[in-house]
Amino acid sequence: MSELEENLARIRARMDAACERSGRQPDSVRLMAVSKHQPPSRVAEAAAAGLRLFGENRMQEAKVKIPQSPGHLEWHFIGHLQSNKARDAVSLFRVVQGVDSLALAMELHKQAVKQARSLPVLLEVNVAGESSKFGWNPDRLLAEFLELNALSRLEVHGLMTIAPYAVDPERVRPVFRRLRELRDRCSDLLGAPLPVLSMGMSGDLEVAIEEGATLVRVGTALFGERPRRTDPDAATEATEAG
Ligand SMILES: *Cc1c(COP(=O)(O)O)cnc(C)c1O
């Protein structure tokens, strides 16, 4: 087994154990490979190991990498997106995770109309209210949710969050729980299910799964430590989890 295959086996075992502890089916949680900073060769390696879902958080990098990668992969944009990159996001990505304002949602809707597609989105929530992070304040999201949902070319599939870093993942359990509760309240407003909860990364995926994650986003536990960015616009585009 290659190192990546070994890492993948370890991640799957962690996911399965968390599902078992919480009485969930293992196929109720999707694993996303977060390939930011990784070259196309690493994406190809992960695809060969059976991964299909990939996440990128920077448009410049994605624009180069996605066309060089196997065609059957599903790409999600997972970071903060500037409105002037909405057009590229709609043409390159199947899903935009991290829609964090009504203004961005309206721009994505406009671009989706132009490109004659509908766009699944997840709404990013700043559950812990960290000033360094993007995302909706929970009350504001509840206030704007129906307006968002009225954008006909956006399909709101659920919520996502980036939990604060903690050495002990138990400490972020309340963040994941609050995201799930907020999802339930949005779903009540809507009168329809919002099935997706994107939460949990390399260090805290078990706790996220126990609290209801349906998609975990894993970078370093799969690929190892990220190579440093070398391209010139890295500094201006770095995001919260960059
Ligand atoms: C980088 C990143 C991840 C993956 O983080 P790891 O700790 O390397 O697993 C997940 N989600 C987002 C939004 C990221 O930017």
Side-chain angles (χ1 to χ4, degrees), residues 99-138:
V99 174
D100 56 11
S101 71
L102 195 51
L104 174 61
M106 288 166 86
E107 187 58 30
L108 287 166
H109 167 77
K110 192 170 108 189
Q111 295 300 334
V113 169
K114 280 195 187 160
Q115 297 183 39
R117 65 168 291 200
S118 61
L119 180 73
V121 296
L122 302 182
L123 309 175
E124 179 173 356
V125 183
N126 186 355
V127 178
E130 292 169 278
S131 59
S132 60
K133 284 195 179 142
F134 292 101
W136 255 286
N137 158 287

PDB file of all heavy atoms in Angstrom, residues 99-138:
ATOM      1  N   VAL A  99     -21.044  29.577   1.096  1.00  0.00           N
ATOM      2  CA  VAL A  99     -21.762  30.802   0.751  1.00  0.00           C
ATOM      3  C   VAL A  99     -22.044  31.527   2.064  1.00  0.00           C
ATOM      4  O   VAL A  99     -22.704  30.987   2.950  1.00  0.00           O
ATOM      5  CB  VAL A  99     -23.074  30.480   0.001  1.00  0.00           C
ATOM      6  CG1 VAL A  99     -23.884  31.742  -0.222  1.00  0.00           C
ATOM      7  CG2 VAL A  99     -22.750  29.802  -1.321  1.00  0.00           C
ATOM      8  N   ASP A 100     -21.465  32.728   2.204  1.00  0.00           N
ATOM      9  CA  ASP A 100     -21.469  33.363   3.520  1.00  0.00           C
ATOM     10  C   ASP A 100     -22.152  34.717   3.565  1.00  0.00           C
ATOM     11  O   ASP A 100     -22.051  35.426   4.558  1.00  0.00           O
ATOM     12  CB  ASP A 100     -20.039  33.456   4.073  1.00  0.00           C
ATOM     13  CG  ASP A 100     -19.100  34.186   3.118  1.00  0.00           C
ATOM     14  OD1 ASP A 100     -19.574  34.797   2.143  1.00  0.00           O
ATOM     15  OD2 ASP A 100     -17.874  34.135   3.345  1.00  0.00           O
ATOM     16  N   SER A 101     -22.824  35.102   2.492  1.00  0.00           N
ATOM     17  CA  SER A 101     -23.601  36.347   2.545  1.00  0.00           C
ATOM     18  C   SER A 101     -24.686  36.312   1.477  1.00  0.00           C
ATOM     19  O   SER A 101     -24.586  35.585   0.479  1.00  0.00           O
ATOM     20  CB  SER A 101     -22.706  37.567   2.306  1.00  0.00           C
ATOM     21  OG  SER A 101     -22.306  37.602   0.943  1.00  0.00           O
ATOM     22  N   LEU A 102     -25.693  37.131   1.709  1.00  0.00           N
ATOM     23  CA  LEU A 102     -26.776  37.239   0.737  1.00  0.00           C
ATOM     24  C   LEU A 102     -26.262  37.827  -0.576  1.00  0.00           C
ATOM     25  O   LEU A 102     -26.663  37.405  -1.656  1.00  0.00           O
ATOM     26  CB  LEU A 102     -27.879  38.120   1.346  1.00  0.00           C
ATOM     27  CG  LEU A 102     -29.254  38.101   0.688  1.00  0.00           C
ATOM     28  CD1 LEU A 102     -29.771  36.682   0.485  1.00  0.00           C
ATOM     29  CD2 LEU A 102     -30.240  38.893   1.558  1.00  0.00           C
ATOM     30  N   ALA A 103     -25.327  38.768  -0.472  1.00  0.00           N
ATOM     31  CA  ALA A 103     -24.785  39.389  -1.685  1.00  0.00           C
ATOM     32  C   ALA A 103     -24.073  38.355  -2.554  1.00  0.00           C
ATOM     33  O   ALA A 103     -24.253  38.320  -3.780  1.00  0.00           O
ATOM     34  CB  ALA A 103     -23.811  40.508  -1.306  1.00  0.00           C
ATOM     35  N   LEU A 104     -23.285  37.491  -1.932  1.00  0.00           N
ATOM     36  CA  LEU A 104     -22.604  36.441  -2.701  1.00  0.00           C
ATOM     37  C   LEU A 104     -23.622  35.471  -3.292  1.00  0.00           C
ATOM     38  O   LEU A 104     -23.510  35.064  -4.452  1.00  0.00           O
ATOM     39  CB  LEU A 104     -21.598  35.690  -1.804  1.00  0.00           C
ATOM     40  CG  LEU A 104     -20.924  34.488  -2.450  1.00  0.00           C
ATOM     41  CD1 LEU A 104     -20.104  34.898  -3.682  1.00  0.00           C
ATOM     42  CD2 LEU A 104     -20.039  33.757  -1.441  1.00  0.00           C
ATOM     43  N   ALA A 105     -24.619  35.116  -2.513  1.00  0.00           N
ATOM     44  CA  ALA A 105     -25.657  34.197  -3.012  1.00  0.00           C
ATOM     45  C   ALA A 105     -26.335  34.788  -4.238  1.00  0.00           C
ATOM     46  O   ALA A 105     -26.579  34.091  -5.234  1.00  0.00           O
ATOM     47  CB  ALA A 105     -26.677  33.916  -1.912  1.00  0.00           C
ATOM     48  N   MET A 106     -26.615  36.092  -4.202  1.00  0.00           N
ATOM     49  CA  MET A 106     -27.285  36.732  -5.343  1.00  0.00           C
ATOM     50  C   MET A 106     -26.383  36.739  -6.571  1.00  0.00           C
ATOM     51  O   MET A 106     -26.853  36.535  -7.689  1.00  0.00           O
ATOM     52  CB  MET A 106     -27.718  38.145  -4.949  1.00  0.00           C
ATOM     53  CG  MET A 106     -28.891  38.103  -3.967  1.00  0.00           C
ATOM     54  SD  MET A 106     -29.207  39.675  -3.151  1.00  0.00           S
ATOM     55  CE  MET A 106     -30.248  40.425  -4.368  1.00  0.00           C
ATOM     56  N   GLU A 107     -25.094  36.953  -6.362  1.00  0.00           N
ATOM     57  CA  GLU A 107     -24.162  36.934  -7.485  1.00  0.00           C
ATOM     58  C   GLU A 107     -24.047  35.523  -8.083  1.00  0.00           C
ATOM     59  O   GLU A 107     -24.024  35.346  -9.303  1.00  0.00           O
ATOM     60  CB  GLU A 107     -22.788  37.448  -7.022  1.00  0.00           C
ATOM     61  CG  GLU A 107     -21.775  37.643  -8.128  1.00  0.00           C
ATOM     62  CD  GLU A 107     -22.225  38.615  -9.220  1.00  0.00           C
ATOM     63  OE1 GLU A 107     -23.003  39.550  -8.926  1.00  0.00           O
ATOM     64  OE2 GLU A 107     -21.797  38.413 -10.387  1.00  0.00           O
ATOM     65  N   LEU A 108     -23.985  34.514  -7.225  1.00  0.00           N
ATOM     66  CA  LEU A 108     -23.924  33.130  -7.726  1.00  0.00           C
ATOM     67  C   LEU A 108     -25.198  32.778  -8.499  1.00  0.00           C
ATOM     68  O   LEU A 108     -25.147  32.128  -9.545  1.00  0.00           O
ATOM     69  CB  LEU A 108     -23.721  32.155  -6.553  1.00  0.00           C
ATOM     70  CG  LEU A 108     -22.317  32.151  -5.939  1.00  0.00           C
ATOM     71  CD1 LEU A 108     -22.327  31.423  -4.590  1.00  0.00           C
ATOM     72  CD2 LEU A 108     -21.296  31.505  -6.878  1.00  0.00           C
ATOM     73  N   HIS A 109     -26.316  33.239  -7.985  1.00  0.00           N
ATOM     74  CA  HIS A 109     -27.591  33.005  -8.677  1.00  0.00           C
ATOM     75  C   HIS A 109     -27.563  33.622 -10.075  1.00  0.00           C
ATOM     76  O   HIS A 109     -27.935  32.988 -11.062  1.00  0.00           O
ATOM     77  CB  HIS A 109     -28.731  33.588  -7.843  1.00  0.00           C
ATOM     78  CG  HIS A 109     -30.034  33.682  -8.568  1.00  0.00           C
ATOM     79  ND1 HIS A 109     -30.846  32.587  -8.782  1.00  0.00           N
ATOM     80  CD2 HIS A 109     -30.660  34.740  -9.151  1.00  0.00           C
ATOM     81  CE1 HIS A 109     -31.921  32.977  -9.460  1.00  0.00           C
ATOM     82  NE2 HIS A 109     -31.828  34.268  -9.693  1.00  0.00           N
ATOM     83  N   LYS A 110     -27.077  34.861 -10.133  1.00  0.00           N
ATOM     84  CA  LYS A 110     -27.007  35.565 -11.414  1.00  0.00           C
ATOM     85  C   LYS A 110     -26.124  34.792 -12.412  1.00  0.00           C
ATOM     86  O   LYS A 110     -26.480  34.602 -13.572  1.00  0.00           O
ATOM     87  CB  LYS A 110     -26.433  36.965 -11.166  1.00  0.00           C
ATOM     88  CG  LYS A 110     -26.565  37.918 -12.326  1.00  0.00           C
ATOM     89  CD  LYS A 110     -26.186  39.337 -11.882  1.00  0.00           C
ATOM     90  CE  LYS A 110     -24.846  39.728 -12.490  1.00  0.00           C
ATOM     91  NZ  LYS A 110     -24.321  40.996 -11.937  1.00  0.00           N
ATOM     92  N   GLN A 111     -24.975  34.342 -11.928  1.00  0.00           N
ATOM     93  CA  GLN A 111     -24.060  33.599 -12.811  1.00  0.00           C
ATOM     94  C   GLN A 111     -24.652  32.244 -13.202  1.00  0.00           C
ATOM     95  O   GLN A 111     -24.450  31.768 -14.322  1.00  0.00           O
ATOM     96  CB  GLN A 111     -22.701  33.410 -12.127  1.00  0.00           C
ATOM     97  CG  GLN A 111     -21.952  34.711 -11.879  1.00  0.00           C
ATOM     98  CD  GLN A 111     -21.645  35.475 -13.164  1.00  0.00           C
ATOM     99  OE1 GLN A 111     -21.542  34.899 -14.245  1.00  0.00           O
ATOM    100  NE2 GLN A 111     -21.513  36.791 -13.052  1.00  0.00           N
ATOM    101  N   ALA A 112     -25.371  31.619 -12.293  1.00  0.00           N
ATOM    102  CA  ALA A 112     -26.001  30.335 -12.604  1.00  0.00           C
ATOM    103  C   ALA A 112     -27.066  30.517 -13.686  1.00  0.00           C
ATOM    104  O   ALA A 112     -27.196  29.683 -14.592  1.00  0.00           O
ATOM    105  CB  ALA A 112     -26.601  29.728 -11.340  1.00  0.00           C
ATOM    106  N   VAL A 113     -27.803  31.635 -13.614  1.00  0.00           N
ATOM    107  CA  VAL A 113     -28.786  31.926 -14.661  1.00  0.00           C
ATOM    108  C   VAL A 113     -28.067  32.054 -16.002  1.00  0.00           C
ATOM    109  O   VAL A 113     -28.455  31.444 -17.001  1.00  0.00           O
ATOM    110  CB  VAL A 113     -29.576  33.224 -14.341  1.00  0.00           C
ATOM    111  CG1 VAL A 113     -30.408  33.667 -15.540  1.00  0.00           C
ATOM    112  CG2 VAL A 113     -30.456  33.029 -13.109  1.00  0.00           C
ATOM    113  N   LYS A 114     -26.979  32.832 -16.020  1.00  0.00           N
ATOM    114  CA  LYS A 114     -26.220  33.044 -17.262  1.00  0.00           C
ATOM    115  C   LYS A 114     -25.692  31.751 -17.845  1.00  0.00           C
ATOM    116  O   LYS A 114     -25.616  31.570 -19.044  1.00  0.00           O
ATOM    117  CB  LYS A 114     -25.018  33.965 -17.001  1.00  0.00           C
ATOM    118  CG  LYS A 114     -25.366  35.425 -16.958  1.00  0.00           C
ATOM    119  CD  LYS A 114     -24.085  36.256 -17.065  1.00  0.00           C
ATOM    120  CE  LYS A 114     -24.385  37.732 -16.857  1.00  0.00           C
ATOM    121  NZ  LYS A 114     -23.178  38.487 -16.489  1.00  0.00           N
ATOM    122  N   GLN A 115     -25.268  30.861 -16.959  1.00  0.00           N
ATOM    123  CA  GLN A 115     -24.661  29.617 -17.422  1.00  0.00           C
ATOM    124  C   GLN A 115     -25.686  28.486 -17.515  1.00  0.00           C
ATOM    125  O   GLN A 115     -25.326  27.328 -17.710  1.00  0.00           O
ATOM    126  CB  GLN A 115     -23.484  29.233 -16.515  1.00  0.00           C
ATOM    127  CG  GLN A 115     -22.359  30.269 -16.567  1.00  0.00           C
ATOM    128  CD  GLN A 115     -21.141  29.887 -15.737  1.00  0.00           C
ATOM    129  OE1 GLN A 115     -20.745  28.722 -15.689  1.00  0.00           O
ATOM    130  NE2 GLN A 115     -20.537  30.856 -15.067  1.00  0.00           N
ATOM    131  N   ALA A 116     -26.946  28.851 -17.362  1.00  0.00           N
ATOM    132  CA  ALA A 116     -28.052  27.908 -17.531  1.00  0.00           C
ATOM    133  C   ALA A 116     -27.873  26.634 -16.715  1.00  0.00           C
ATOM    134  O   ALA A 116     -27.997  25.519 -17.227  1.00  0.00           O
ATOM    135  CB  ALA A 116     -28.241  27.573 -19.023  1.00  0.00           C
ATOM    136  N   ARG A 117     -27.571  26.793 -15.466  1.00  0.00           N
ATOM    137  CA  ARG A 117     -27.502  25.623 -14.593  1.00  0.00           C
ATOM    138  C   ARG A 117     -28.088  25.981 -13.231  1.00  0.00           C
ATOM    139  O   ARG A 117     -28.340  27.141 -12.940  1.00  0.00           O
ATOM    140  CB  ARG A 117     -26.054  25.149 -14.410  1.00  0.00           C
ATOM    141  CG  ARG A 117     -25.146  26.136 -13.690  1.00  0.00           C
ATOM    142  CD  ARG A 117     -23.818  25.507 -13.273  1.00  0.00           C
ATOM    143  NE  ARG A 117     -23.995  24.515 -12.209  1.00  0.00           N
ATOM    144  CZ  ARG A 117     -23.011  24.097 -11.390  1.00  0.00           C
ATOM    145  NH1 ARG A 117     -21.790  24.559 -11.532  1.00  0.00           N
ATOM    146  NH2 ARG A 117     -23.245  23.215 -10.455  1.00  0.00           N
ATOM    147  N   SER A 118     -28.327  24.964 -12.444  1.00  0.00           N
ATOM    148  CA  SER A 118     -28.640  25.274 -11.056  1.00  0.00           C
ATOM    149  C   SER A 118     -27.445  24.857 -10.217  1.00  0.00           C
ATOM    150  O   SER A 118     -26.686  23.959 -10.594  1.00  0.00           O
ATOM    151  CB  SER A 118     -29.924  24.585 -10.601  1.00  0.00           C
ATOM    152  OG  SER A 118     -29.770  23.205 -10.701  1.00  0.00           O
ATOM    153  N   LEU A 119     -27.269  25.544  -9.118  1.00  0.00           N
ATOM    154  CA  LEU A 119     -26.050  25.391  -8.336  1.00  0.00           C
ATOM    155  C   LEU A 119     -26.376  24.955  -6.905  1.00  0.00           C
ATOM    156  O   LEU A 119     -26.962  25.722  -6.149  1.00  0.00           O
ATOM    157  CB  LEU A 119     -25.301  26.728  -8.293  1.00  0.00           C
ATOM    158  CG  LEU A 119     -23.987  26.732  -7.514  1.00  0.00           C
ATOM    159  CD1 LEU A 119     -22.892  25.992  -8.280  1.00  0.00           C
ATOM    160  CD2 LEU A 119     -23.549  28.161  -7.206  1.00  0.00           C
ATOM    161  N   PRO A 120     -25.976  23.734  -6.536  1.00  0.00           N
ATOM    162  CA  PRO A 120     -26.119  23.351  -5.137  1.00  0.00           C
ATOM    163  C   PRO A 120     -25.146  24.148  -4.277  1.00  0.00           C
ATOM    164  O   PRO A 120     -23.989  24.330  -4.663  1.00  0.00           O
ATOM    165  CB  PRO A 120     -25.736  21.862  -5.120  1.00  0.00           C
ATOM    166  CG  PRO A 120     -25.791  21.410  -6.550  1.00  0.00           C
ATOM    167  CD  PRO A 120     -25.463  22.627  -7.374  1.00  0.00           C
ATOM    168  N   VAL A 121     -25.625  24.627  -3.143  1.00  0.00           N
ATOM    169  CA  VAL A 121     -24.760  25.392  -2.240  1.00  0.00           C
ATOM    170  C   VAL A 121     -24.943  24.920  -0.795  1.00  0.00           C
ATOM    171  O   VAL A 121     -25.979  24.372  -0.429  1.00  0.00           O
ATOM    172  CB  VAL A 121     -25.055  26.917  -2.282  1.00  0.00           C
ATOM    173  CG1 VAL A 121     -24.750  27.499  -3.644  1.00  0.00           C
ATOM    174  CG2 VAL A 121     -26.482  27.230  -1.861  1.00  0.00           C
ATOM    175  N   LEU A 122     -23.890  25.156  -0.010  1.00  0.00           N
ATOM    176  CA  LEU A 122     -23.981  25.031   1.442  1.00  0.00           C
ATOM    177  C   LEU A 122     -23.707  26.408   2.010  1.00  0.00           C
ATOM    178  O   LEU A 122     -22.896  27.166   1.470  1.00  0.00           O
ATOM    179  CB  LEU A 122     -22.942  24.035   1.980  1.00  0.00           C
ATOM    180  CG  LEU A 122     -22.988  22.607   1.425  1.00  0.00           C
ATOM    181  CD1 LEU A 122     -21.924  21.753   2.112  1.00  0.00           C
ATOM    182  CD2 LEU A 122     -24.362  21.986   1.588  1.00  0.00           C
ATOM    183  N   LEU A 123     -24.370  26.736   3.094  1.00  0.00           N
ATOM    184  CA  LEU A 123     -24.209  28.043   3.724  1.00  0.00           C
ATOM    185  C   LEU A 123     -23.225  27.915   4.871  1.00  0.00           C
ATOM    186  O   LEU A 123     -23.382  27.059   5.739  1.00  0.00           O
ATOM    187  CB  LEU A 123     -25.566  28.538   4.228  1.00  0.00           C
ATOM    188  CG  LEU A 123     -26.683  28.485   3.171  1.00  0.00           C
ATOM    189  CD1 LEU A 123     -28.011  28.889   3.792  1.00  0.00           C
ATOM    190  CD2 LEU A 123     -26.338  29.370   1.975  1.00  0.00           C
ATOM    191  N   GLU A 124     -22.197  28.768   4.824  1.00  0.00           N
ATOM    192  CA  GLU A 124     -21.171  28.687   5.874  1.00  0.00           C
ATOM    193  C   GLU A 124     -21.589  29.499   7.089  1.00  0.00           C
ATOM    194  O   GLU A 124     -21.930  30.680   6.976  1.00  0.00           O
ATOM    195  CB  GLU A 124     -19.826  29.203   5.352  1.00  0.00           C
ATOM    196  CG  GLU A 124     -18.750  29.136   6.443  1.00  0.00           C
ATOM    197  CD  GLU A 124     -17.349  29.468   5.952  1.00  0.00           C
ATOM    198  OE1 GLU A 124     -17.167  29.693   4.741  1.00  0.00           O
ATOM    199  OE2 GLU A 124     -16.430  29.498   6.788  1.00  0.00           O
ATOM    200  N   VAL A 125     -21.527  28.866   8.239  1.00  0.00           N
ATOM    201  CA  VAL A 125     -21.923  29.528   9.486  1.00  0.00           C
ATOM    202  C   VAL A 125     -20.697  29.672  10.385  1.00  0.00           C
ATOM    203  O   VAL A 125     -19.920  28.736  10.557  1.00  0.00           O
ATOM    204  CB  VAL A 125     -23.010  28.712  10.218  1.00  0.00           C
ATOM    205  CG1 VAL A 125     -23.466  29.444  11.473  1.00  0.00           C
ATOM    206  CG2 VAL A 125     -24.196  28.441   9.297  1.00  0.00           C
ATOM    207  N   ASN A 126     -20.548  30.855  10.940  1.00  0.00           N
ATOM    208  CA  ASN A 126     -19.485  31.124  11.905  1.00  0.00           C
ATOM    209  C   ASN A 126     -20.087  30.886  13.293  1.00  0.00           C
ATOM    210  O   ASN A 126     -20.463  31.816  13.990  1.00  0.00           O
ATOM    211  CB  ASN A 126     -19.005  32.569  11.723  1.00  0.00           C
ATOM    212  CG  ASN A 126     -17.793  32.903  12.576  1.00  0.00           C
ATOM    213  OD1 ASN A 126     -17.346  32.100  13.386  1.00  0.00           O
ATOM    214  ND2 ASN A 126     -17.266  34.096  12.380  1.00  0.00           N
ATOM    215  N   VAL A 127     -20.197  29.606  13.646  1.00  0.00           N
ATOM    216  CA  VAL A 127     -20.941  29.212  14.847  1.00  0.00           C
ATOM    217  C   VAL A 127     -20.329  29.827  16.092  1.00  0.00           C
ATOM    218  O   VAL A 127     -21.029  30.305  16.980  1.00  0.00           O
ATOM    219  CB  VAL A 127     -20.965  27.673  14.991  1.00  0.00           C
ATOM    220  CG1 VAL A 127     -21.690  27.269  16.271  1.00  0.00           C
ATOM    221  CG2 VAL A 127     -21.628  27.025  13.782  1.00  0.00           C
ATOM    222  N   ALA A 128     -19.003  29.800  16.172  1.00  0.00           N
ATOM    223  CA  ALA A 128     -18.330  30.260  17.389  1.00  0.00           C
ATOM    224  C   ALA A 128     -18.118  31.770  17.412  1.00  0.00           C
ATOM    225  O   ALA A 128     -17.573  32.307  18.373  1.00  0.00           O
ATOM    226  CB  ALA A 128     -16.997  29.524  17.536  1.00  0.00           C
ATOM    227  N   GLY A 129     -18.548  32.457  16.345  1.00  0.00           N
ATOM    228  CA  GLY A 129     -18.417  33.911  16.323  1.00  0.00           C
ATOM    229  C   GLY A 129     -16.979  34.405  16.320  1.00  0.00           C
ATOM    230  O   GLY A 129     -16.673  35.457  16.875  1.00  0.00           O
ATOM    231  N   GLU A 130     -16.094  33.649  15.679  1.00  0.00           N
ATOM    232  CA  GLU A 130     -14.687  34.066  15.642  1.00  0.00           C
ATOM    233  C   GLU A 130     -14.503  35.209  14.652  1.00  0.00           C
ATOM    234  O   GLU A 130     -14.943  35.126  13.509  1.00  0.00           O
ATOM    235  CB  GLU A 130     -13.810  32.899  15.181  1.00  0.00           C
ATOM    236  CG  GLU A 130     -13.725  31.767  16.161  1.00  0.00           C
ATOM    237  CD  GLU A 130     -13.062  30.576  15.498  1.00  0.00           C
ATOM    238  OE1 GLU A 130     -13.762  29.843  14.780  1.00  0.00           O
ATOM    239  OE2 GLU A 130     -11.861  30.409  15.679  1.00  0.00           O
ATOM    240  N   SER A 131     -13.790  36.247  15.091  1.00  0.00           N
ATOM    241  CA  SER A 131     -13.638  37.405  14.215  1.00  0.00           C
ATOM    242  C   SER A 131     -12.743  37.105  13.020  1.00  0.00           C
ATOM    243  O   SER A 131     -12.806  37.762  11.997  1.00  0.00           O
ATOM    244  CB  SER A 131     -13.078  38.583  15.005  1.00  0.00           C
ATOM    245  OG  SER A 131     -11.830  38.200  15.551  1.00  0.00           O
ATOM    246  N   SER A 132     -11.908  36.062  13.114  1.00  0.00           N
ATOM    247  CA  SER A 132     -10.999  35.735  12.018  1.00  0.00           C
ATOM    248  C   SER A 132     -11.683  34.934  10.919  1.00  0.00           C
ATOM    249  O   SER A 132     -11.078  34.628   9.905  1.00  0.00           O
ATOM    250  CB  SER A 132      -9.837  34.907  12.561  1.00  0.00           C
ATOM    251  OG  SER A 132     -10.333  33.702  13.134  1.00  0.00           O
ATOM    252  N   LYS A 133     -12.945  34.563  11.112  1.00  0.00           N
ATOM    253  CA  LYS A 133     -13.573  33.663  10.143  1.00  0.00           C
ATOM    254  C   LYS A 133     -14.751  34.281   9.425  1.00  0.00           C
ATOM    255  O   LYS A 133     -15.451  35.127   9.953  1.00  0.00           O
ATOM    256  CB  LYS A 133     -14.033  32.392  10.849  1.00  0.00           C
ATOM    257  CG  LYS A 133     -12.859  31.491  11.146  1.00  0.00           C
ATOM    258  CD  LYS A 133     -13.269  30.099  11.507  1.00  0.00           C
ATOM    259  CE  LYS A 133     -12.012  29.279  11.759  1.00  0.00           C
ATOM    260  NZ  LYS A 133     -12.197  28.354  12.846  1.00  0.00           N
ATOM    261  N   PHE A 134     -14.963  33.779   8.214  1.00  0.00           N
ATOM    262  CA  PHE A 134     -16.131  34.151   7.446  1.00  0.00           C
ATOM    263  C   PHE A 134     -17.313  33.300   7.891  1.00  0.00           C
ATOM    264  O   PHE A 134     -17.150  32.318   8.607  1.00  0.00           O
ATOM    265  CB  PHE A 134     -15.859  33.925   5.961  1.00  0.00           C
ATOM    266  CG  PHE A 134     -14.822  34.872   5.405  1.00  0.00           C
ATOM    267  CD1 PHE A 134     -13.514  34.459   5.211  1.00  0.00           C
ATOM    268  CD2 PHE A 134     -15.175  36.182   5.107  1.00  0.00           C
ATOM    269  CE1 PHE A 134     -12.560  35.340   4.708  1.00  0.00           C
ATOM    270  CE2 PHE A 134     -14.227  37.062   4.602  1.00  0.00           C
ATOM    271  CZ  PHE A 134     -12.918  36.640   4.400  1.00  0.00           C
ATOM    272  N   GLY A 135     -18.481  33.669   7.437  1.00  0.00           N
ATOM    273  CA  GLY A 135     -19.649  32.836   7.713  1.00  0.00           C
ATOM    274  C   GLY A 135     -20.752  33.623   8.390  1.00  0.00           C
ATOM    275  O   GLY A 135     -20.526  34.680   8.979  1.00  0.00           O
ATOM    276  N   TRP A 136     -21.945  33.087   8.283  1.00  0.00           N
ATOM    277  CA  TRP A 136     -23.107  33.747   8.868  1.00  0.00           C
ATOM    278  C   TRP A 136     -23.108  33.675  10.376  1.00  0.00           C
ATOM    279  O   TRP A 136     -22.774  32.651  10.958  1.00  0.00           O
ATOM    280  CB  TRP A 136     -24.388  33.046   8.395  1.00  0.00           C
ATOM    281  CG  TRP A 136     -25.146  33.808   7.374  1.00  0.00           C
ATOM    282  CD1 TRP A 136     -25.899  34.919   7.578  1.00  0.00           C
ATOM    283  CD2 TRP A 136     -25.238  33.517   5.982  1.00  0.00           C
ATOM    284  NE1 TRP A 136     -26.452  35.343   6.396  1.00  0.00           N
ATOM    285  CE2 TRP A 136     -26.074  34.505   5.414  1.00  0.00           C
ATOM    286  CE3 TRP A 136     -24.704  32.532   5.161  1.00  0.00           C
ATOM    287  CZ2 TRP A 136     -26.393  34.526   4.066  1.00  0.00           C
ATOM    288  CZ3 TRP A 136     -25.014  32.547   3.827  1.00  0.00           C
ATOM    289  CH2 TRP A 136     -25.840  33.541   3.284  1.00  0.00           C
ATOM    290  N   ASN A 137     -23.535  34.749  10.974  1.00  0.00           N
ATOM    291  CA  ASN A 137     -23.969  34.706  12.354  1.00  0.00           C
ATOM    292  C   ASN A 137     -25.304  33.929  12.344  1.00  0.00           C
ATOM    293  O   ASN A 137     -26.131  34.141  11.463  1.00  0.00           O
ATOM    294  CB  ASN A 137     -24.140  36.164  12.807  1.00  0.00           C
ATOM    295  CG  ASN A 137     -25.061  36.289  13.987  1.00  0.00           C
ATOM    296  OD1 ASN A 137     -26.284  36.142  13.861  1.00  0.00           O
ATOM    297  ND2 ASN A 137     -24.492  36.564  15.131  1.00  0.00           N
ATOM    298  N   PRO A 138     -25.512  32.992  13.285  1.00  0.00           N
ATOM    299  CA  PRO A 138     -26.701  32.140  13.240  1.00  0.00           C
ATOM    300  C   PRO A 138     -28.032  32.913  13.190  1.00  0.00           C
ATOM    301  O   PRO A 138     -28.933  32.542  12.417  1.00  0.00           O
ATOM    302  CB  PRO A 138     -26.587  31.317  14.527  1.00  0.00           C
ATOM    303  CG  PRO A 138     -25.112  31.220  14.769  1.00  0.00           C
ATOM    304  CD  PRO A 138     -24.552  32.537  14.321  1.00  0.00           C
TER     305      PRO A 138
END
